[in-house]
Amino acid sequence: MAPTGRAALLAALGTLPLGIWEPSWTGILAVNAPLALACACDYALAAPVRRLGLIRSGDASARLGETADVTLTVTNPSKHPLRGHLRDAWPPSSWLPGTEVAASRHRLTIPPGERRRVTTRLRPTRRGDRQADKVTIRSYGPLGLFARQGSHKAPWTVRVLPPFTSRKHLPSKLARLRELDGRTSLLTRGEGTEFDSLREYIPGDDTRSIDWRATARQSSVAVRTWRPERDRHILLVLDTGRTSAGRVGDAPRLDSSMDAALLLAALASRAGDRVDLLAYDRRVRALVQGRTAGDVLPSLVNAMATLEPELIETDARGLTATALRTASRRALIVLLTTLDAAPVEQGLLPVLSRLTQRHTVLVASVADPHIARMANSRGTTEAVYEAAAAAQAQTDRHRTADQLRRHGVTVVDATPDNLAPALADAYLALKAAGRL
């Protein structure tokens, strides 16, 4: 049984065993009074925490993988100096694993009536909005025996944007775009082209390009040249349903789709085309329309930042109807979705004709590089079974892609590292062929 009463007090004081020496209550008070007085003075001289003023400033956004510095200005209005520790709490995904303690805790020394700034450096590991939690401050007295502690709310939000790692491919794609625009002639007529200039007829030119009015005014035959039409409409459609949640490598398929969409948007806006974005599963998750060329990329990045895969089956009919309402005139609809057989055959194929009869449709999908490695594995019984399963998966995927192509759809199927440049190449090929 734990000691009680006078025995407990003597044991706490570290005295001799009971019965050998029993001090009087006067002696106990004489021993502890100075300590109690010192603790009371230490507590009284500690700066009060509730009266502190806190103001935030700093970065409001950062790309995934980069750092964001958030500054906290702490004002001490009391007449006592503040000596203490501060913990700036944020969600766990605001730092790399194992770095939270060092990054979120700060020492503080603030003279009376002054202010100091402390900076918390975040390195988020996920996209989306990261909101600051409470700021907890512990204020010590000059002796460090007692402390006051309290928490304050200091709201701040840092939006973590997609990293746009495929930006490195943009210069080479822009060079191909300039080469495409610089060609003297595109020998096609009809949709997707617009008049460029007149030149002298060369044997082999399409006779339908002869400009008879211009020919009548000069001694040689004049033909019209055409160039890819600008101000075309590109609608990027992100499927945010359950298939986009599957992880390929270290990230969900949705992240790879967004990276490819950003590269295509940057390229198309430089080409003079109008780019819109629709994210959909069973309802609209994001919609960006009518942005200028200079504003389209920041708008897309900001809209994509908070997108997360939804663990529900995508409503293909609803997606198609929404896409048709969003793209009222002829457009290139780029659907970033899966090539898994069931979602395509049961969802997309029955409604695909509604899109293809009015628009040019391109389907882009993220392939798993692990499947290709499994298909090449040999040496053990387990490896052979894995190779057979991978070959079956690849066959099913190719069959689904062929079904889409028979409906007039351009299909891009590539691994996460190759999807963005492959999608940009498909766009340039459509543009060169005058299909936009």
Side-chain angles (χ1 to χ4, degrees):
M1 181 179 296
T4 59
R6 185 170 59 174
L9 180 60
L10 294 175
L13 293 173
T15 63
L16 292 174
L18 190 62
I20 297 177
W21 177 62
E22 296 187 9
S24 65
W25 286 106
T26 305
I28 294 174
L29 292 176
V31 171
N32 289 281
L35 179 60
L37 180 61
C39 290
C41 292
D42 201 45
Y43 180 80
L45 293 175
V49 175
R50 294 183 181 277
R51 296 174 57 191
L52 297 176
L54 284 78
I55 300 176
R56 286 196 186 271
S57 60
D59 295 332
S61 64
R63 290 194 180 278
L64 183 64
E66 298 179 355
T67 59
D69 292 338
V70 180
T71 300
L72 192 63
T73 303
V74 184
T75 303
N76 178 18
S78 71
K79 60 182 179 180
H80 301 300
L82 173 66
R83 313 172 189 85
H85 296 89
L86 180 147
R87 179 177 182 265
D88 191 4
W90 290 76
S93 59
S94 301
W95 291 283
L96 295 174
T99 64
E100 176 183 357
V101 173
S104 63
R105 286 163 171 78
H106 310 274
R107 288 183 175 273
L108 276 179
T109 301
I110 308 178
E114 296 189 14
R115 67 185 65 181
R116 293 291 185 271
R117 293 184 178 90
V118 294
T119 299
T120 301
R121 174 159 291 181
L122 309 179
R123 192 178 182 88
T125 58
R126 291 180 57 188
R127 288 182 297 100
D129 290 340
R130 298 291 168 268
Q131 296 181 347
D133 203 344
K134 293 180 180 179
V135 176
T136 302
I137 301 175
R138 182 174 294 173
S139 172
Y140 293 93
L143 300 178
L145 298 176
F146 264 71
R148 302 170 184 258
Q149 180 171 307
S151 297
H152 293 259
K153 290 184 177 180
W156 192 261
T157 300
V158 175
R159 174 156 290 188
V160 186
L161 308 173
F164 194 11
T165 55
S166 62
R167 185 191 294 270
K168 61 187 177 184
H169 298 290
L170 186 57
S172 62
K173 304 308 175 186
L174 288 175
R176 289 190 57 189
L177 178 65
R178 287 191 294 269
E179 179 184 351
L180 177 64
D181 284 345
R183 292 176 182 173
T184 57
S185 175
L186 184 65
L187 300 179
T188 58
R189 288 174 56 88
E191 291 180 323
T193 59
E194 60 182 9
F195 175 74
D196 184 26
S197 60
L198 294 172
R199 64 169 175 81
E200 188 174 347
Y201 175 82
I202 298 175
D205 285 342
D206 190 342
T207 55
R208 293 175 299 177
S209 297
I210 296 176
D211 190 318
W212 296 108
R213 288 180 179 272
T215 299
R217 294 194 298 267
Q218 59 189 37
S219 58
S220 59
V221 178
V223 295
R224 294 184 294 271
T225 62
W226 308 84
R227 60 185 173 87
E229 189 172 339
R230 289 179 174 269
D231 194 27
R232 303 300 292 171
H233 186 194
I234 314 294
L235 177 60
L236 304 173
V237 182
L238 287 175
D239 179 357
T240 56
R242 64 168 185 83
T243 57
S244 67
R247 298 187 73 85
V248 178
D250 295 330
R253 282 188 169 91
L254 180 60
D255 286 38
S256 299
S257 297
M258 290 192 299
D259 190 55
L262 288 175
L263 179 63
L264 179 57
L267 181 63
S269 62
R270 296 287 187 90
D273 294 334
R274 181 165 59 88
V275 181
D276 293 339
L277 170 71
L278 170 66
Y280 192 94
D281 41 69
R282 288 188 176 274
R283 64 180 180 87
V284 176
R285 301 291 177 176
L287 181 62
V288 178
Q289 287 182 288
R291 298 296 192 272
T292 61
D295 188 48
V296 63
L297 201 59
S299 299
L300 295 186
V301 168
N302 190 61
M304 291 178 180
T306 56
L307 287 178
E308 295 292 344
E310 301 293 332
L311 300 182
I312 54 178
E313 196 71 39
T314 298
D315 178 12
R317 292 186 180 276
L319 185 150
T320 301
T322 306
L324 290 173
R325 288 195 302 269
T326 305
S328 56
R329 49 181 286 220
R330 185 171 181 82
L332 170 63
I333 295 182
V334 180
L335 176 58
L336 294 117
T337 185
T338 182
L339 282 181
D340 294 346
V344 173
E345 293 175 359
Q346 299 174 15
L348 182 60
L349 284 179
V351 297
L352 187 59
S353 59
R354 297 179 58 192
L355 290 175
T356 54
Q357 67 184 2
R358 188 189 304 180
H359 304 289
T360 302
V361 179
L362 190 158
V363 172
S365 181
V366 183
D368 191 345
H370 182 62
I371 300 296
R373 291 193 295 268
M374 287 174 56
N376 296 324
S377 60
R378 298 291 187 275
T380 65
T381 302
E382 182 180 355
V384 171
Y385 277 110
E386 288 183 349
Q392 182 62 47
Q394 290 177 329
T395 300
D396 293 343
R397 197 174 182 89
H398 293 157
R399 184 174 64 251
T400 303
D402 289 340
Q403 287 180 299
L404 292 172
R405 292 188 181 100
R406 285 195 292 271
H407 284 77
V409 175
T410 301
V411 178
V412 175
D413 185 20
T415 59
D417 292 338
N418 298 321
L419 180 64
L423 181 58
D425 289 340
Y427 162 78
L428 291 173
L430 290 173
K431 204 170 187 64
R435 292 184 57 191
L436 299 187

